[in-house]
Amino acid sequence: MLNKKHALKISREYTQANFTWIISLILTVVLLLNSFNFKEGELKGSVFSVFAAYAFFTIFQTILTWMVKRDLLTIGEIRSSTRKLGYVQLFSIVTGNVFTAAFAFNLIKKQKTPEYTFAVYMLLTQVFIIAISSLNLFKSYVADSFLSAMIILLGIMIFQVVTLILTARYVKEESAPAWMMIVAIVLLFTALTGNLFALLLGYSLIVKVRSHDQSKISKWNTMWKKITRNSTAILGLFFIILMFSISVCSTFTFDYDMAVENDYGAILQKPSLAYPFGTDNFGRDLFSRIIFGARISLLVGFASTAIPVVIGGFLGALAGYYSQRTDNIIMRLLDILYAVPGILLAIAIIAAFGANTTNLILALSVGSIPTYARTMRANVMMVSNYEFVDSARALGSADFSIIFRQIVPNSLAPMIVKATLTIGGAVIATSSLSFLGLGVEPHIPEWGNILKIGSTYLESHSYLAIIPGLAIILLVLSFNFLGDGLRDAFDPRMD
Amino acid sequence: MKKSLLTILLAVMVVLAGCVSTKSDVSDKKNDNTEPKTDKSKVVIELLGMGSGEEDMNIVRDQLIKNGFDVKLNIQPDYGSFTAQKEAGNYDVALSSWTTVTGNPDYAVRALFKSDGDNSIMADEEVDALIEKASTETPNEFAKTYKQLEQRLVFDKAYIVPLYNSFKAQGVNKDILDVNTVRLAKSRAIAWEPIDFNDKTKRETDSLIVQQANGTLTSLDPIKANDGSINTLNTNMYVRLVNLTDDDVVVSDGSLSYNHSIAEGNSAYYFLLRDDLNFAAITDGKAVDTGERVGADDVIFSLNRAKDPNSVPDHRTYSLHEHIQDVEVVTDLSELDVLQSGSNETIREGLEKGLDVKIAELVSDKTSADNTSGKYQVVKMTTVNPFPQVLNYLAHQSAGIVSKKQVESINTYDVASFDVSKDIPYGDQNSVTEGAKYNNTLYASGPYILSHKNDYEAIFYKNPAYMAGTDYEPKISNVTVRFIQDPDSTLSALRNSEIHLFNGVPETKYDLVENDSKLFLQKNDSNAVSYLLFNTKNREVSTSEALRKAVLYSINQDEILNFYQGNKKKAVSTVSPMVDTGNELKADSAKVQEFLNDYKAGN
């Protein structure tokens, strides 16, 4: 009995099953509340039917959870009949419930390689992209490249379904068949749509096909197992990649004019099929604006994190490796920069040089250079005492070669974790500056701009504020969850 | 039968094909009639405006882009930096607005479009001549002249592009205030004295709380400022010879005069003064009656300094009063026996209308005036040219009556060598701001007097000697003016009863006020017009009439009205709210292309 309790505790499926039914239940309740118009006591048919579908899959999820628990407690593992029920739950993907769908994929397969997880999320991402893009069909017209882009996306999805089946069948924990190489290369090309899971899967397959170094493979497997075990981290990664991918695909499947051109005949429309999130006070489609806004948020978020990582990392590495004096000069100068409040510095830079995306990125970058320099310096100081550094020095390597070949690669992990966690901050800063009228021009779809308009209609048309707010929250939350997952994965103490 | 089947089949096919019509399908249909453009390069227009006009700028940007322009936005956060950019010439078109606070059309065009106008950046002889011609005409005649002016200003030369005429809207807390006592005038600033609480017992104990956006007061000397920071405050602090009604008729009601009258020839104006107004001052934080009557000498002093550009340093309003020639007190009763303009009554009959005690004697010393025994004061004003609209200017806050004695005793500096750092002029806002420099020397002739202010609010007290016992006596004793800049915050303040009155509810928020059970929304026409002003120096738009006209015909006022949910009116020029000229600006993309091609061909 004790053994079986332990089985319950370590079972990934059971943990995820619990997480899933709770989240799913919350979504169901939200839908239920939204399907009633409390003022007039009317039932909204469309929302109610979505609620019904969610309720069905939530109930089924609860049953599955109970069965998994019973199986684990009685025989110590999940029965294959229970696992087969996962195929039913797969249909929940039609409702757009990513949580139940992801769980179903996990339940079906007993032995889960990282490749299987990548393939699952790759497919989920693709399905979501196609679903989101096809909402454009309800509009009065679609972008010129819409049809061809959708056909390509659908083609890729079919290929991904095949890949998922092949991966589930033939990819083993430590190796993959050689012919998978072709699949891997095609996958790398499909990653051009922004679906980075395809890139991860392709890379992972190539490593397994070509490498005979078992330690490298097992290291890769361990790291991704740690990340994928963490439901929130992998969902965060899913949302980030979805946003990234939709930003890339929207170039072809969405019409930019719908997001920026005023339509005085459709001002402040309530959400409908043609306008899934309604329209704003200028009659612009909020849905298109949110989609195009993701592009700016991600671009500014990544760029304004990458710049300080590179500059701060470089300065920090020098300061950490060289003597007291170099260290002092660099770090004291950076301390001065550190003493200037970041957001004020950004406001000053924007006020002086004007509001556009480039200046916004620079303004947000400058302020965070010192913190990255500090992180890097601390790591470099620690790593430079290791034996392999001494041996490189004894072999007569040049200083720069030691720093950037030996030390920096071994000090990157904390930088990556920190960067992931601060991208979220950069996304918020971008939106805040736009909200204050200091970011990009007001008509450009940016989440802060959208929120600014929404804030004045909070009472009468609250969706104008709630939706961009949710988008910001979700993206920032995703980065935070992913950063958390990465920290756990990189932390040697967690082994 | 076959035929109908075929039709149905065709219809189904059309519907199916229509399901996914691409963008170029749609735009092809739209542009079937437009001829191919010869030159595809886009003309860049730089649009300057303030953050508060972001929505208008977006509409203009959108309409210009749809007509083949490219637009660069220059959005400045406040009026100061906007003016700086404007003066530096960093714009092709600037989003501008104008409110005719005097309610007469001359004021709406003189300062803006005459070559020598205070705010004018253009010079056009024909426009000048039309403005001068209209100023001497009566309302029946000037409609035609202003129509010609609009034709020249807007359609022929395209110096400005009109956008819209706004409404005025005021939210009133009807749980606290008696809505029937709250006025909303088309032009004049709101008068506080008639406003009353529902619960009249609170008149002495509670304050009337109103709002104003700007907390930095330009000057409390009426002639030294003409802007939103003081218009309402000075209107309530200084009485005038005449007032405007809610729909811009000049009357004597609630003013310093019982009656006024225009002599034949439209150049001489007579005012019969009241004797029941004294100046108030602030002593030990209370409003007290100074015992000094508001009389003819103060009127003469006030109007003379109003028209004289050198009476004070930084005089902001003399151009409004440049028509005044002489102001004098009348002592000879027989002088009133001339005929009124357009009537067969005499001036005396006109002035005596409705009086209980007829005029027995005219006195020159204000202290000896005693209306109950028939001793009155009469002031006569003459204008340089016949100019009936002068009365509208006398109703403006800048013609407020100040105390001759008090102002002369404070303004002892020499105007030519005035030193801002040393000399403290009458009405300086520092003298009423809480702190070390506080030294309130104001003498108020109006219903209220400003006691003190800070960055957050200004406190006013009732003038104890203002028409006491009449209908015009101020009802509420204390008035607090809150300084809240942002309209949305002000609306919140109104809704949670932090303020009682909000003048200037945004158009898009009318429904919020209307749906709030404790609020009442008052609406009236206003004289505020928004328009685009072209740069007249060193820009393509300065020299090319065709380019200006291309911009003009790109603007679609119907779409603007749509955006504001119908809460704006069309306008053609700044006189539109006062004179119905019958002109209308119609958007026309065919004309835009024509003019753009003209411009690109070098015309």
Side-chain angles (χ1 to χ4, degrees):
Chain A
M1 191 63 202
L2 198 68
N3 240 351
K4 281 164 190 163
K5 267 205 173 145
H6 187 63
L8 191 66
K9 224 176 196 176
I10 63 163
S11 164
R12 273 177 62 186
E13 282 85 358
Y14 182 63
T15 326
Q16 198 188 3
N18 270 325
F19 172 77
T20 305
W21 79 258
I22 292 170
I23 293 275
S24 194
L25 182 67
I26 293 173
L27 287 176
T28 312
V29 171
V30 168
L31 281 169
L32 177 65
L33 290 178
N34 271 298
S35 60
F36 283 109
N37 189 339
F38 287 104
K39 242 184 205 165
E40 284 143 37
E42 280 171 4
L43 190 72
K44 286 185 249 172
S46 52
V47 189
F48 189 77
S49 47
V50 178
F51 153 74
Y54 264 74
F56 171 76
F57 286 110
T58 307
I59 292 167
F60 191 67
Q61 177 68 33
T62 323
I63 296 170
L64 278 179
T65 312
W66 175 77
M67 286 172 79
V68 167
K69 189 178 177 184
R70 187 203 56 189
D71 286 357
L72 287 169
L73 281 179
T74 48
I75 60 168
E77 62 170 4
I78 301 167
R79 282 197 190 97
S80 64
S81 59
T82 312
R83 287 195 187 274
K84 291 244 165 61
L85 281 177
Y87 286 105
V88 180
Q89 187 66 326
L90 267 187
F91 286 100
S92 65
I93 196 167
V94 181
T95 64
N97 191 337
V98 66
F99 305 99
T100 48
F103 169 75
F105 274 115
N106 260 334
L107 185 65
I108 294 164
K109 186 105 164 69
K110 196 177 174 192
Q111 289 297 326
K112 286 169 281 279
T113 57
E115 286 74 18
Y116 178 74
T117 315
F118 293 152
V120 164
Y121 281 98
M122 173 180 76
L123 185 62
L124 284 178
T125 309
Q126 199 71 12
V127 169
F128 269 75
I129 290 170
I130 291 172
I132 291 172
S133 302
S134 52
L135 279 174
N136 277 331
L137 282 172
F138 296 107
K139 295 202 185 326
S140 52
Y141 63 85
V142 292
D144 287 342
S145 50
F146 177 80
L147 283 179
S148 41
M150 285 301 277
I151 290 169
I152 295 173
L153 286 176
L154 278 168
I156 292 177
M157 189 181 80
I158 292 166
F159 170 72
Q160 287 174 342
V161 173
V162 176
T163 313
L164 174 65
I165 296 167
L166 292 178
T167 312
R169 286 233 162 147
Y170 299 107
V171 178
K172 299 266 153 30
E173 194 73 10
E174 52 303 307
S175 69
W179 52 264
M180 275 297 225
M181 194 69 180
I182 309 159
V183 178
I185 290 169
V186 180
L187 277 175
L188 291 187
F189 278 105
T190 65
L192 284 177
T193 61
N195 194 339
L196 296 181
F197 281 115
L199 187 73
L200 280 172
L201 177 58
Y203 175 77
S204 189
L205 285 175
I206 291 174
V207 168
K208 285 207 174 161
V209 171
R210 297 198 49 183
S211 175
H212 302 288
D213 178 1
Q214 278 307 316
S215 76
K216 193 177 175 188
I217 293 178
S218 87
K219 213 172 152 190
W220 176 261
N221 280 347
T222 322
M223 185 183 93
W224 282 106
K225 270 198 180 142
K226 277 195 210 160
I227 295 177
T228 49
R229 195 185 299 148
N230 189 337
S231 300
T232 50
I234 193 76
L235 282 171
L237 185 63
F238 165 73
F239 189 73
I240 293 165
I241 291 183
L242 177 65
M243 283 294 115
F244 179 73
S245 189
I246 202 83
S247 306
V248 175
C249 294
S250 61
T251 319
F252 306 103
T253 55
F254 279 77
D255 184 24
Y256 191 63
D257 285 344
M258 289 208 175
V260 287
E261 269 192 13
N262 302 353
D263 179 359
Y264 304 96
I267 285 173
L268 294 171
Q269 304 266 309
K270 286 247 153 36
S272 63
L273 279 177
Y275 304 109
F277 293 162
T279 61
D280 69 3
N281 56 346
F282 289 105
R284 299 173 294 202
D285 176 32
L286 194 66
F287 183 59
S288 305
R289 281 177 77 74
I290 294 279
I291 296 291
F292 285 105
R295 196 180 285 182
I296 298 178
S297 291
L298 282 175
L299 174 75
V300 177
F302 275 114
S304 61
T305 308
I307 293 174
V309 165
V310 172
I311 301 178
F314 179 76
L315 291 174
L318 294 187
Y321 185 75
Y322 286 110
S323 71
Q324 200 83 44
R325 188 181 296 169
T326 321
D327 186 18
N328 252 333
I329 292 172
I330 294 177
M331 293 319 289
R332 293 302 82 74
L333 284 176
L334 287 177
D335 280 348
I336 294 174
L337 190 56
Y338 203 17
V340 182
I343 199 85
L344 282 189
L345 187 68
I347 289 175
I349 291 176
I350 294 218
F353 299 108
N356 58 48
T357 321
T358 323
N359 286 345
L360 193 63
I361 292 173
L362 286 179
L364 292 176
S365 301
V366 172
S368 47
I369 289 175
T371 58
Y372 286 101
R374 289 207 157 273
T375 311
M376 191 54 143
R377 174 176 168 271
N379 285 306
V380 168
M381 282 175 130
M382 186 179 72
V383 174
S384 51
N385 290 326
Y386 287 163
E387 291 85 353
F388 63 88
V389 179
D390 285 338
S391 68
R393 210 175 277 139
L395 286 168
S397 300
D399 275 356
F400 262 65
S401 153
I402 296 176
I403 296 176
F404 295 106
R405 286 237 176 122
Q406 313 291 342
I407 299 177
V408 169
N410 286 295
S411 326
L412 274 184
M415 291 289 276
I416 294 172
V417 173
K418 186 179 166 58
T420 319
L421 287 170
T422 49
I423 290 178
V427 171
I428 289 185
T430 315
S431 301
S432 320
L433 286 174
S434 297
F435 188 86
L436 296 173
L438 291 162
V440 288
E441 286 182 324
H443 62 275
I444 305 230
E446 199 278 331
W447 290 351
N449 277 340
I450 304 171
L451 190 61
K452 184 183 182 184
I453 288 180
S455 68
T456 58
Y457 290 92
L458 204 52
E459 204 163 334
S460 47
H461 302 83
S462 48
Y463 58 88
L464 282 176
I466 291 174
I467 290 166
L470 273 181
I472 296 173
I473 292 173
L474 281 180
L475 188 61
V476 174
L477 207 59
S478 299
F479 275 114
N480 289 349
F481 283 155
L482 177 64
D484 235 23
L486 283 179
R487 192 178 55 201
D488 293 349
F490 286 141
D491 193 342
R493 280 172 303 178
M494 304 283 279
D495 281 337
Chain B
M1 188 62 194
K2 251 186 187 176
K3 225 177 179 180
S4 63
L5 258 180
L6 199 72
T7 334
I8 292 170
L9 202 71
L10 262 175
V12 169
M13 277 174 69
V14 166
V15 167
L16 281 179
C19 276
V20 271
S21 53
T22 63
K23 191 181 179 192
S24 42
D25 293 345
V26 177
S27 57
D28 278 354
K29 266 180 236 154
K30 250 193 229 165
N31 297 337
D32 269 351
N33 301 326
T34 51
E35 45 196 297
K37 279 176 251 170
T38 41
D39 186 351
K40 290 273 184 186
S41 71
K42 289 191 172 174
V43 183
V44 181
I45 296 285
E46 188 175 351
L47 174 61
L48 172 68
M50 275 184 282
S52 53
E54 205 174 285
E55 291 170 335
D56 292 339
M57 288 178 80
N58 185 32
I59 297 174
V60 171
R61 180 198 64 84
D62 182 70
Q63 293 182 342
L64 287 176
I65 284 181
K66 282 178 180 159
N67 279 293
F69 289 91
D70 211 355
V71 179
K72 204 178 140 201
L73 294 181
N74 184 352
I75 305 178
Q76 296 299 323
D78 52 66
Y79 188 68
S81 37
F82 169 78
T83 329
Q85 287 286 314
K86 202 173 159 190
E87 275 163 12
N90 294 335
Y91 68 101
D92 288 313
V93 280
L95 182 68
S96 318
S97 63
W98 174 263
T99 307
T100 312
V101 285
T102 56
N104 63 322
D106 185 64
Y107 184 54
V109 288
R110 183 171 292 276
L112 288 177
F113 307 124
K114 237 185 133 244
S115 311
D116 57 354
D118 290 344
N119 304 313
S120 170
I121 58 165
M122 53 176 271
D124 185 302
E125 281 177 16
E126 202 178 321
V127 169
D128 290 355
L130 286 168
I131 292 175
E132 283 304 335
K133 184 177 170 216
S135 73
T136 58
E137 293 172 334
T138 60
N140 295 330
E141 301 158 350
F142 65 43
K144 221 179 110 206
T145 317
Y146 283 122
K147 183 171 178 156
Q148 288 171 344
L149 177 67
E150 282 181 345
Q151 183 65 34
R152 174 82 183 169
L153 186 75
V154 181
F155 299 105
D156 291 352
K157 287 288 175 183
Y159 290 120
I160 62 164
V161 180
L163 297 178
Y164 57 79
N165 168 211
S166 303
F167 286 104
K168 250 187 180 181
Q170 183 166 265
V172 184
N173 188 325
K174 62 183 177 197
D175 284 357
I176 297 173
L177 297 181
D178 179 358
V179 175
N180 299 322
T181 64
V182 184
R183 290 173 55 186
L184 179 63
K186 188 179 176 193
S187 304
R188 65 162 292 174
I190 184 166
W192 295 334
E193 69 265 27
I195 301 177
D196 204 349
F197 291 124
N198 283 328
D199 181 356
K200 300 195 173 8
T201 56
K202 289 184 173 166
R203 283 178 181 177
E204 302 297 323
T205 51
D206 286 14
S207 288
L208 165 68
I209 308 173
V210 297
Q211 169 270 354
Q212 158 168 325
N214 204 332
T216 310
L217 311 181
T218 316
S219 173
L220 297 163
D221 185 344
I223 62 170
K224 287 191 68 176
N226 182 17
D227 56 55
S229 74
I230 48 80
N231 272 342
T232 306
L233 310 188
N234 281 350
T235 298
N236 284 292
M237 264 214 303
Y238 301 100
V239 71
R240 291 154 304 279
L241 282 176
V242 285
N243 276 328
L244 290 180
T245 61
D246 290 354
D247 43 6
D248 290 350
V249 180
V250 179
V251 292
S252 284
D253 304 344
S255 77
L256 180 58
S257 64
Y258 284 113
N259 280 313
H260 66 275
S261 184
I262 310 174
E264 224 171 14
N266 290 338
S267 310
Y269 303 78
Y270 294 87
F271 304 89
L272 181 70
L273 304 192
R274 306 178 69 108
D275 70 342
D276 54 356
L277 280 86
N278 283 2
F279 286 104
I282 293 290
T283 310
D284 301 329
K286 286 199 179 70
V288 294
D289 179 2
T290 58
E292 186 194 334
R293 186 173 292 172
V294 183
D297 59 334
D298 299 308
V299 173
I300 295 166
F301 173 74
S302 300
L303 295 185
N304 277 331
R305 71 195 287 268
K307 70 167 185 172
D308 175 11
N310 300 318
S311 60
V312 286
D314 205 14
H315 197 315
R316 303 267 176 101
T317 56
Y318 62 87
S319 64
L320 267 66
H321 303 291
E322 64 189 8
H323 314 278
I324 300 176
Q325 191 170 37
D326 276 316
V327 191
E328 59 194 33
V329 60
V330 181
T331 46
D332 182 3
L333 202 51
S334 64
E335 206 182 313
L336 304 181
D337 290 334
V338 292
L339 280 182
Q340 293 187 53
S341 170
S343 154
N344 40 23
E345 284 183 357
T346 62
I347 295 287
R348 182 169 175 174
E349 283 167 324
L351 292 181
E352 278 180 338
K353 212 166 263 171
L355 285 188
D356 294 338
V357 184
K358 302 292 175 197
I359 304 173
E361 188 188 339
L362 293 181
V363 293
S364 64
D365 180 8
K366 66 184 176 189
T367 51
S368 48
D370 181 5
N371 297 170
T372 46
S373 59
K375 290 180 181 171
Y376 286 90
Q377 283 202 302
V378 167
V379 171
K380 175 190 178 191
M381 185 190 75
T382 55
T383 57
V384 183
N385 298 310
F387 183 54
Q389 294 181 36
V390 75
L391 289 174
N392 289 74
Y393 292 105
L394 293 183
H396 186 247
Q397 62 88 13
S398 62
I401 309 302
V402 293
S403 161
K404 178 173 194 279
K405 196 178 108 198
Q406 180 71 359
V407 171
E408 279 178 343
S409 72
I410 301 291
N411 286 352
T412 50
Y413 53 81
D414 180 34
V415 175
S417 61
F418 177 75
D419 181 1
V420 184
S421 56
K422 195 162 56 60
D423 299 320
I424 300 170
Y426 176 80
D428 186 354
Q429 72 149 336
N430 290 323
S431 65
V432 291
T433 307
E434 288 173 351
K437 284 187 179 169
Y438 180 86
N439 178 24
N440 193 335
T441 56
L442 295 175
Y443 259 43
S445 57
Y448 289 93
I449 180 163
L450 173 58
S451 164
H452 55 276
K453 73 165 279 262
N454 50 34
D455 290 341
Y456 176 62
E457 61 186 10
I459 308 292
F460 287 78
Y461 297 130
K462 167 184 172 178
N463 177 350
Y466 183 83
M467 307 197 206
T470 70
D471 285 347
Y472 305 112
E473 182 185 348
K475 305 284 185 297
I476 297 174
S477 297
N478 308 318
V479 176
T480 301
V481 179
R482 287 270 152 80
F483 302 126
I484 311 175
Q485 199 144 25
D486 170 52
D488 286 312
S489 315
T490 314
L491 189 56
S492 309
L494 177 71
R495 297 178 68 192
N496 60 32
S497 303
E498 205 181 303
I499 58 172
H500 303 153
L501 196 62
F502 174 23
N503 191 327
V505 180
E507 289 78 5
T508 47
K509 296 296 162 57
Y510 287 176
D511 50 339
L512 282 188
V513 178
E514 279 164 347
N515 293 335
D516 194 320
S517 61
K518 66 171 177 300
L519 298 183
F520 182 77
L521 185 74
Q522 296 177 316
K523 274 193 339 190
N524 196 353
D525 291 338
S526 91
N527 292 333
V529 173
S530 282
Y531 60 97
L532 300 174
L533 182 67
F534 285 104
N535 196 342
T536 50
K537 282 192 193 86
N538 307 326
R539 290 279 176 147
E540 289 289 303
V541 288
S542 334
T543 46
S544 171
E545 200 178 291
L547 182 56
R548 291 202 300 262
K549 283 185 185 170
V551 174
L552 175 73
Y553 287 108
S554 302
I555 297 304
N556 185 339
Q557 297 193 350
D558 286 311
E559 292 185 344
I560 300 178
L561 262 54
N562 250 338
F563 172 77
Y564 285 107
Q565 297 158 16
N567 293 321
K568 297 276 186 196
K569 286 198 291 189
K570 292 186 176 186
V572 180
S573 73
T574 45
V575 297
S576 298
M578 288 148 284
V579 186
D580 183 14
T581 58
N583 284 329
E584 191 184 340
L585 173 64
K586 286 202 179 79
D588 189 337
S589 9
K591 273 189 188 168
V592 175
Q593 293 315 323
E594 203 178 295
F595 284 121
L596 266 181
N597 291 338
D598 274 4
Y599 161 70
K600 285 170 181 164
N603 296 325

